[in-house]
Amino acid sequence: MLSSVQNPRILLLHCRRSKPLHHHYAKSIHATPLARPISASLPTSQIQTIQKSILSREKTTRQFTEEFLNRLRLTEPHVKSFLHVSETVLNEADEIDRKIDRNEDVGPLAGVLVAVKDNICTADMPSTAGSKLLENYRPAFDATAVKKLKESGAIIVGKTNLDEFGMGSTTEGSAYQVTANPWNLECVPGGSSGGSAAAVSARQCVVSLGSDTGGSVRQPASFCGVVGLKPTYGRVSRYGLVAYASSLDVIGCFGSSVADAGLLLQSICGHDKLDATSSKREVNDFTSQFISKDYFESQPLKGLRVGVISETLGDGVDQEVVSSIRGAISHLEDLGCSVTEVSLPSFSLGLPAYYVLASSESSSNLSRYDGVRYGNQIVSDELSSLYGGSRANGFGPEVKRRILMGTYALSAGYYDAYYKRAQQVRTVVQKSFKAALDSHDILISPAAPSAAYKIGEKKNDPLAMYAGDIMTVNVNLAGLPALVLPCGFVKDGTASLPVGFQMIGAAFDEEKLLRVGHIFEQTLQGYSFIPPLIADEFIS
């Protein structure tokens, strides 16, 4: 176990507690009430609010920071989003306040607490990828995305929990702890970026970074009722991201509003000479899309062509999820969109192709963890025993399963039957998406076939867990951007769980997704996507 997990964050214990947090943890976790429609609950940009307040000296960075740290201290023993929390957060907040007092430039993310998924390298904190093999490993450098965040003035609050090496859909695959969903502590937050999604949902930080190989940002965003943004492949540098499947991996963003997710992406995207796959395409100013709802026309999305992927609303999808998606579609029509159904016959082929390709690439990428070059090492007199023992003791069951699948698919006699054919399917998927997006501005689907399910429900059934990725993996195969935002609820006994819908755009068209998503959330009346355990604090 990480030392930072065993010792509950010395920094937080010394934080001065502000306003008491009204929460439900003292009660049974079943006592979370059904989410009630709240008319005056439109999402606002926490980033813009913080910037305005600290620059006008209405409130200090330290005051904002203490509020988030107090909430983190109260909720973390139950949610378990973090593997490590920085001990320098308050010092960094004080330094920003001193710069403001000296009228120095503090950057567009000054005072913003950002959590980082623990497979993204940070020089001053452990980066374990959720694996025992990298326990207490501290990189000598920051990932490019983290470096850009720091240059923008952001405060890195800590590292969040994940399925080991990003392989999983529940965050139960972590070698250290199981993260809970803030909406119902008996449910999973999704994965593999479940810690980052739960941290934003529980308002333990302002925004967070995750990684998305087959839906690992978008599915937990749906489960936790937050906004999840997967950028186009190459839009954000992968330098410093622990590799799972290099042709699919993307660093993505979580926020409690579309504006926050977009502002976070603005700070981390762009070409990086350290990553040969990063795009040199110019990055537009996303902030121009986040206009006040007071300036919206009666039908602000008039003329927008929306295609609903018909294969995503059929068998195997929870009917309450379908109902929520159809409600979102109806709302888009009210905003002026022209909505039609579009069929992607290759859609069902994406899931098996994805798992062949991802497992094959992971088999190659994880070969470096042998106890010599990387990873914790066992004592052995034989080199082969050292390799085998270090990997056997360090890797968890899901990682071993995918390495074996990938090695098999790449082996002589099976390469053409599995890996080559999966690459051919990938080309078919790419062409089908291009054809659909040539006649539509965006495509719509659920982000997941169900709302969050119970912890342990699918842990021993990997095929059922893999099937849950069917809505998201095709987007990674095509390398396209996608935005997930909450649109409704599914009843779960006496409580309720959020549902998110997915908008898919053409390559490098994040700007359009952010515009449509911002207008959608600013005009969606009657819902609050703040978990009941902290809702009283924000609504009162």
Side-chain angles (χ1 to χ4, degrees):
M1 183 68 73
L2 290 174
S3 59
S4 55
V5 177
Q6 292 172 325
N7 178 11
R9 302 147 186 94
I10 297 173
L11 170 67
L12 301 180
L13 295 177
H14 291 285
C15 287
R16 183 176 68 252
R17 182 173 179 178
S18 57
K19 173 182 170 184
L21 179 65
H22 300 287
H23 58 88
H24 303 274
Y25 285 135
K27 304 175 184 178
S28 165
I29 53 179
H30 296 290
T32 306
L34 186 66
R36 297 181 301 277
I38 300 172
S39 58
S41 60
L42 296 178
T44 57
S45 170
Q46 293 188 78
I47 292 176
Q48 292 176 336
T49 298
I50 290 171
Q51 285 277 290
K52 180 180 178 181
S53 296
I54 65 174
L55 293 178
S56 66
R57 294 173 172 79
E58 177 185 336
K59 203 169 182 179
T60 66
T61 306
R62 185 183 181 93
Q63 287 174 320
F64 275 115
T65 301
E66 286 182 336
E67 287 178 6
F68 278 99
L69 290 179
N70 284 332
R71 194 177 302 115
L72 194 159
R73 175 174 61 84
L74 288 167
T75 58
E76 181 58 12
H78 308 276
V79 179
K80 298 180 180 178
S81 302
F82 286 87
L83 292 178
H84 179 85
V85 173
S86 171
E87 297 179 358
T88 64
V89 174
L90 290 177
N91 291 337
E92 293 177 50
D94 290 338
E95 179 58 27
I96 292 172
D97 287 332
R98 285 191 289 269
K99 286 184 177 180
I100 292 173
D101 290 339
R102 296 193 297 264
N103 293 317
E104 297 179 14
D105 181 31
V106 291
L109 293 183
V112 175
L113 267 65
V114 183
V116 176
K117 187 176 179 179
D118 203 34
N119 63 345
I120 302 173
C121 289
T122 47
D124 52 351
M125 284 182 267
S127 299
T128 70
S131 177
K132 285 289 186 182
L133 199 68
L134 292 175
E135 188 172 11
N136 293 324
Y137 169 66
R138 287 178 179 259
F141 65 97
D142 283 324
T144 296
V146 173
K147 181 182 178 183
K148 287 187 174 185
L149 287 177
K150 291 180 178 179
E151 290 171 349
S152 298
I155 299 173
I156 308 301
V157 64
K159 306 298 290 294
T160 56
N161 196 27
L162 71 156
D163 289 296
E164 186 178 4
F165 286 102
M167 300 180 188
S169 303
T170 65
T171 314
E172 295 172 285
S174 169
Y176 301 105
Q177 62 190 27
V178 175
T179 299
N181 191 316
W183 287 85
N184 184 335
L185 298 178
E186 283 193 337
C187 291
V188 301
S192 63
S193 307
S196 291
V200 172
S201 180
R203 304 311 192 261
Q204 297 174 327
C205 59
V206 181
V207 289
S208 65
L209 292 184
S211 66
D212 192 310
T213 305
S216 291
V217 164
R218 290 160 289 151
Q219 182 245 31
S222 177
F223 281 10
C224 293
V226 297
V227 175
L229 175 58
K230 177 228 175 271
T232 306
Y233 184 83
R235 176 66 92 182
V236 177
S237 171
R238 291 186 299 110
Y239 180 73
L241 172 65
V242 175
Y244 165 19
S246 302
S247 72
L248 302 166
D249 295 338
V250 178
I251 292 178
C253 307
F254 291 100
S256 57
S257 67
V258 172
D260 282 347
L263 292 169
L264 181 60
L265 177 63
Q266 186 84 64
S267 293
I268 64 172
C269 61
H271 177 65
D272 177 19
K273 64 181 181 180
L274 298 174
D275 176 11
T277 65
S278 70
S279 173
K280 295 183 179 180
R281 186 182 292 246
E282 183 180 355
V283 180
N284 294 329
D285 181 9
F286 299 147
T287 60
S288 62
Q289 306 303 317
F290 308 133
I291 62 175
S292 169
K293 64 181 184 300
D294 297 332
Y295 296 98
F296 291 166
E297 299 174 357
S298 59
Q299 288 192 317
L301 295 179
K302 187 174 182 179
L304 190 82
R305 300 167 301 168
V306 176
V308 181
I309 303 174
S310 56
E311 286 81 4
T312 65
L313 296 177
D315 293 340
V317 184
D318 186 277
Q319 284 306 304
E320 287 189 87
V321 170
V322 173
S323 178
S324 293
I325 302 303
R326 294 204 180 280
I329 292 169
S330 177
H331 184 57
L332 287 170
E333 289 178 323
D334 292 340
L335 295 172
C337 295
S338 172
V339 181
T340 58
E341 282 201 4
V342 57
S343 177
L344 297 180
S346 64
F347 198 86
S348 61
L349 303 177
L351 188 66
Y354 164 81
Y355 273 102
V356 169
L357 295 174
S359 297
S360 297
E361 292 188 32
S362 70
S363 172
S364 175
N365 279 325
L366 270 62
S367 65
R368 72 193 68 177
Y369 302 104
D370 54 17
V372 177
R373 292 169 292 180
Y374 294 95
N376 293 329
Q377 184 182 107
I378 68 163
V379 177
S380 177
D381 294 331
E382 297 287 335
L383 188 60
S384 59
S385 298
L386 185 150
Y387 286 167
S390 298
R391 293 163 66 84
N393 290 340
F395 288 142
E398 183 59 33
V399 174
K400 292 175 183 175
R401 183 181 295 117
R402 299 197 190 194
I403 289 174
L404 290 171
M405 288 194 300
T407 303
Y408 180 83
L410 293 173
S411 62
Y414 297 99
Y415 180 90
D416 288 347
Y418 293 104
Y419 185 78
K420 183 178 179 180
R421 184 167 294 185
Q423 290 286 24
Q424 292 170 337
V425 169
R426 182 177 192 166
T427 301
V428 171
V429 169
Q430 291 171 340
K431 289 181 178 179
S432 65
F433 268 108
K434 185 180 185 305
L437 287 166
D438 282 344
S439 55
H440 298 86
D441 294 299
I442 61 172
L443 302 177
I444 295 291
S445 79
S450 69
Y453 40 85
K454 294 293 189 290
I455 292 172
E457 184 176 326
K458 297 185 180 181
K459 187 175 182 180
N460 297 319
D461 188 356
L463 289 180
M465 185 175 67
Y466 297 167
D469 296 334
I470 192 168
M471 302 296 178
T472 53
V473 295
N474 286 277
V475 177
N476 295 79
L477 292 174
L480 300 176
L483 178 71
V484 166
L485 60 160
C487 64
F489 292 95
V490 166
K491 291 182 180 179
D492 179 39
T494 58
S496 61
L497 295 169
V499 173
F501 81 106
Q502 177 176 229
M503 296 191 297
I504 305 164
F508 299 99
D509 205 4
E510 289 88 354
E511 194 171 8
K512 182 181 293 178
L513 291 179
L514 291 168
R515 171 176 170 264
V516 175
H518 176 70
I519 292 173
F520 179 94
E521 73 173 7
Q522 292 300 304
T523 53
L524 182 67
Q525 297 286 338
Y527 292 103
S528 171
F529 293 104
I530 300 174
L533 72 154
I534 61 167
D536 292 345
E537 181 187 14
F538 283 84
I539 296 169
S540 59

